[in-house]
Amino acid sequence: MLPFDQDTIAAISTPPGTGGLAVIRLSGPRSLDAIRPLFSATDKLEPRVATFGKLTHTDLGVGDFDDCVVTFFKGPRSTTGEDVIEISIHGGTYLQQKLLEVLLRAPGVRAAGAGEFTLRAFLRGKIDLSRAEAVADLIHAKDEAAHKNARHQLSGGLRNLVNKMSEDLIKILTVIEAELDFSDQEIEFTPPSAFTAPLQALQATTQSLLETYFYGRRLEEGFRVPLAGAPNSGKSSLFNLLLGQERAIVTAQPGTTRDTIEKTIIVAGHSVVLVDTAGLCETREEAESSGVDRSKDEIELADLIIWVQAPDTNDIKSLKTINIPQITVYNKIDLTPTPPKNKDIYLSCLTGEGVDTLKEAIYSHVINMKNTGVQGVILNSERHRDIFNRFDTQLSGCLSAINNAFGPEYIASDLRLALDVLGEITGKTTPDDILNQIFSGFCVGK
Amino acid sequence: MTVSRESYEVIVVGGGHAGIEAALAASRLGQTTLLITMQIAALGRASCNPAIGGLAKGHLVREIDALGGEMARATDATGIQFKMLNRSKGRAVWSPRAQIDKHAYSAYMIAACEAQSGLDLFEDEAVKVIANRTKTRVSGVVTRNGAHFSCKALVLTNGTFLNGLIHIGDKQFTAGRIGEAASVGLTESLVTLGFETGRLKTGTPPRVKRDSIDFSKTTIQTGDADPEAFSFSTSNFHPPNEACYITKTNLETHRIISGALHFSPLFSGVIQGVGPRYCPSIEDKVVRFSDKPSHQLFLEPEWSNANQIYVNGFSSSLPEEVQLASLRSVPGLERVEFIQPGYAIEYDFFSPSQLKASLETKQVKGLFFAGQINGTSGYEEAAGQGLLAGINAHLQVNNKAPFVLGREEAYLGVLVDDLITKDTDEPYRMFTSRAEHRLLLRYDNAHFRLAEKGHALGLVSTTFYMAVVKQKQLAKKAEATFDTIYIKPQKVAALIDLQAPLKESQSITNLLRRPHVSIEQLKPVLPGWIQDLSPTLLKLIATNTKYRGYIDRERLQVERLAKHQNTTIPDSVDYLEMAAISFEGRQKLQRIRPETIGQASRISGVSPADVSILLILLKKICFT
Ligand SMILES: Nc1nc2c(ncn2[C@@H]2O[C@H](COP(=O)(O)OP(=O)(O)OP(=O)(O)O)[C@@H](O)[C@H]2O)c(=O)[nH]1
Ligand SMILES: [Mg+2]
């Protein structure tokens, strides 16, 4: 965290895992600019008035945030003393993360560091002096935790990996800076095109690293596995069976389950969140219809869908699930001697037949989703992901400067910015670090 | 001796590049000023190479000029070869360099000092600094011959003279420079006042006779045919263009040197001081880069038509016979004769972390340090500090706020900030890579950056300042015009040799942003009033346009980090009590005692979290 920058910071400000209503907070001069392209009612915003509207963006699902509430606090009359935007949304952790990601892509916006909202509030004189020490402790504690985490990561290797990436960048920068600062001496000229390959390699690593984030989040929050299908197909029965406890109500009446119920089990060392859903059907009843909407959300956000069918119910074909792994389960085989072909698994909740096969199938899906990471490193913090996203952008800047035959002073400027971004994890690279490399690698000096 | 009084407002000790600028600035700003030097004839003497400027150093000289210093004018008047370095690269990293006539340079500076009203020169050696009883306020200085002068501000610029010790092989003798006595006593006086001192080392190569060199075996190197002056005020610039020559060492040279390393005080452990890595001795190069079959040597005349040649690249403290034998293995130097051997010199310096950003010491009010005494190397670094110390001595005498340049404003700002926040363990030299805002700090825009400040101080004439203001307006207007003029593809093709023809019209701005397009090529399509601008201004405008995206980004970064940078930290702070700050951070802060949060954040070992906590605790201290 830079205690004196002018960036706009963003974070989810409700504790993780609370679900339901969440608040995402932005603070800084660009708060309003960041939300403008997303929020339908930005022009109606007035200081301190909660305003209803829709959040739309190509990366957000249609209808994800139809009924959000945005409140604008104009600085200095806000908690931090800066312009603050608070977005209240419905939706679980996944949707909150998604929205935060979109916000972090706005220019001048970055993920908030530990205790940063509080720090800003304090520096603007918004918090009572007696709390000063508490803030210091907070930063200190978080820093300590980050430190421990960093040490912990040593075996996992995030720090090693980032150090290695910085070293690669420093190597390139050293050659360029040596040429700029010692061009009057015998230094072999390296054409900038020679740096394209190592920079592309760095970018590839960065992108693989960013891809691990999805898995990293799943590690923290669990894989979401909804049981979906027509009413009365036996979803709740199966849910209970997989949990090994009678958690969901089972009746012979279709439409028993009206709201989603979730419960975590451990499969292959990973948390798997099983979600029992309301049966999918056209309905006019309000409570039931909102239950069906919930089911649809769960299906779209799933990591693995278990479709439950039965001889005494209709098949349900759902949309927008093409890219999600799924298992089609044919339940109640005790009722029919000739079940239809091409189902993945045939089972009976009544007799317990086939349930182990389903468990094995879930197990292998979880193993399949497992990401070994980049040299064992899996990103799981939004801050790190934000950093690597910005690093990726900076690397593109370096590469395009080289491609466009820009001079070494331009490339050096881009490389330094890239290093600064990585420095948010490893600590800053100073000019002395570069000079030391030059002096140890080149015979300079007359 | 032209001493007119016993009491001065400002006294400067030392007549090197730092001392001269300090004395001239203080007296020009109206202070009664005394310059004490051991030898008036040695004022402005170049102890090492006969050159001014070079990469990053050229930038410093231009900045000194824009602030009303003397170095650039002296160089223009006495240079014998001018060359723009990095010409093949973008203008942001161009840097001017000149070979100077050392005799003429020194004579120029002597004349400038003698002609300066309000400035007295006194030939003697300062041996003691006088302070009040609590050692918190300077009050005067005592010389070797017993003269006693009182002052309100004292600027020490002692160069390599403080307890200077020269090494040539196993021979050692005290000296400030070869042939000149060292200064003894002043270090001890400063230690008594509570300052910490250390030892540094630097070296210089042999001087040889021109008529003992066979130049037919060397490569000739001349300056630019169209030289650019250092000073913004120089006009009608037609300097000489005298040649330098390049030759190379070889394996035989290296063999002789390797065989005699045990005679080198650097390797035998006799020299304790740390030398600069960017200016290694030839024995260092041979040892550290043993795989390099040869090293370049530059043969530079020390003055116009000099019989004395400086062997740049062959700095050494080996015994004279070894230096001579190894040099004689070099093509063209087979029969070379020495006028003076190379030598190493050790001297006292005072860690600049004991200084404020004004170059005033933190402990003793009115006492300023500038130049090599602060552990820097180079004439330009020295002159820059001298100028700033002279200005700040004047401001201090008049109870005015100090003059401090930001890192984003000038290399001079980078220089001072680096000095006071970093622990120097080798002589500090400026490099362009030290400036994080390199694209903002160009040699060609030093006056755009600094003339206004120089004028406000009273060191820069109103005429010059008004001319700069006018140029700035024209530049702004021209840059805006470049955005609005679009050139059709056919027309562009006629002017510029493009690989792929353009599909649509392009603005002048966009054309200029292409790497190989120059303003000269586009001249025919520029409006008349822009064509009529001076070539120098036109190039500056083109450079601004070329770098615009990058410059804007650097400006943005400066703004982004501006908050809290200048928040001052009270003197009374006890860092050791701040338990929430990391142990290392506390120790560093306690020792260096930064003046601002910005300085604190640049001290190595002080983490961003430490700075956050410091900010919090400071607020608390200020309110209670
Ligand atoms: N014979 C037989 N009956 C089953 C089996 N599995 C579930 N049932 C019965 O089917 C009926 C519906 O079961 P639920 O588990 O409530 O079905 P559901 O899909 O959750 O239904 P909704 O919540 O209404 O959508 C109950 O009467 C169950 O006892 C099975 O394998 N065999
Ligand atoms: Mg149910």
Side-chain angles (χ1 to χ4, degrees), chain A residues 1 4-7 123 133 177 180-181 183 186 404 409 413-414 416-417 432 436 439 445-446, chain B residues 55 86 90 277-278 285 288 296 312-313 422 431-433 438 515 547 550 553 557 560 563 608 619:
Chain A
M1 164 191 1
F4 34 69
D5 66 27
Q6 304 267 39
D7 293 348
L123 293 174
E133 235 122 43
E177 293 287 1
L180 289 172
D181 264 338
S183 66
E186 296 170 282
N404 291 318
E409 67 279 20
S413 169
D414 285 318
R416 279 166 177 238
L417 278 184
D432 282 308
N436 287 341
F439 295 140
K446 294 185 199 167
Chain B
L55 294 165
N86 266 349
R277 285 172 299 172
Y278 47 82
K285 291 191 216 177
R288 290 190 43 229
Q296 265 188 343
N312 200 343
K422 285 186 181 20
F431 295 105
T432 69
S433 55
R438 175 161 55 199
Y547 289 100
Y550 281 71
R553 190 172 71 184
Q557 263 190 310
R560 187 179 155 241
K563 206 173 162 190
K619 272 219 163 182

Side-chain angles (χ1 to χ4, degrees), chain A residues 236 249 257 276:
Chain A
S236 300
I249 301 164
T257 310
D276 185 20

Side-chain angles (χ1 to χ4, degrees), chain B residues 164-169 171-173 175 178 200-205 264-266 271 281 283 315-318 323 341-347:
Chain B
L165 183 66
I166 285 184
H167 299 258
I168 304 175
K171 273 194 293 185
Q172 297 163 27
F173 48 93
I178 204 126
L200 284 176
K201 172 246 146 182
T202 189
T204 195
S264 166
L266 287 175
I271 290 187
S281 63
E283 46 268 39
S315 169
S316 178
S317 57
L318 286 164
Q323 291 184 30
Y343 62 86
I345 181 163
E346 281 188 288
Y347 54 96

Side-chain angles (χ1 to χ4, degrees), chain B residues 478-555:
Chain B
E479 282 168 47
T481 309
F482 287 171
D483 288 343
T484 60
I485 301 180
Y486 279 75
I487 316 293
K488 292 211 173 72
Q490 312 89 292
K491 210 155 188 189
V492 173
L495 297 168
I496 309 163
D497 190 16
L498 290 172
Q499 276 152 350
L502 295 177
K503 290 199 185 70
E504 44 193 67
S505 296
Q506 289 280 334
S507 68
I508 303 238
T509 303
N510 278 340
L511 288 172
L512 269 175
R513 280 192 184 167
R514 293 167 167 255
H516 299 294
V517 176
S518 73
I519 190 78
E520 286 80 9
Q521 289 171 299
L522 296 176
K523 212 154 181 187
V525 292
L526 299 178
W529 71 271
I530 296 183
Q531 289 190 21
D532 292 343
L533 296 174
S534 79
T536 326
L537 181 58
L538 195 53
K539 276 184 205 142
L540 187 149
I541 295 167
T543 309
N544 277 345
T545 308
K546 273 196 173 301
Y547 289 100
R548 194 188 297 161
Y550 281 71
I551 288 175
D552 289 349
R553 190 172 71 184
E554 286 196 353
R555 289 240 154 80

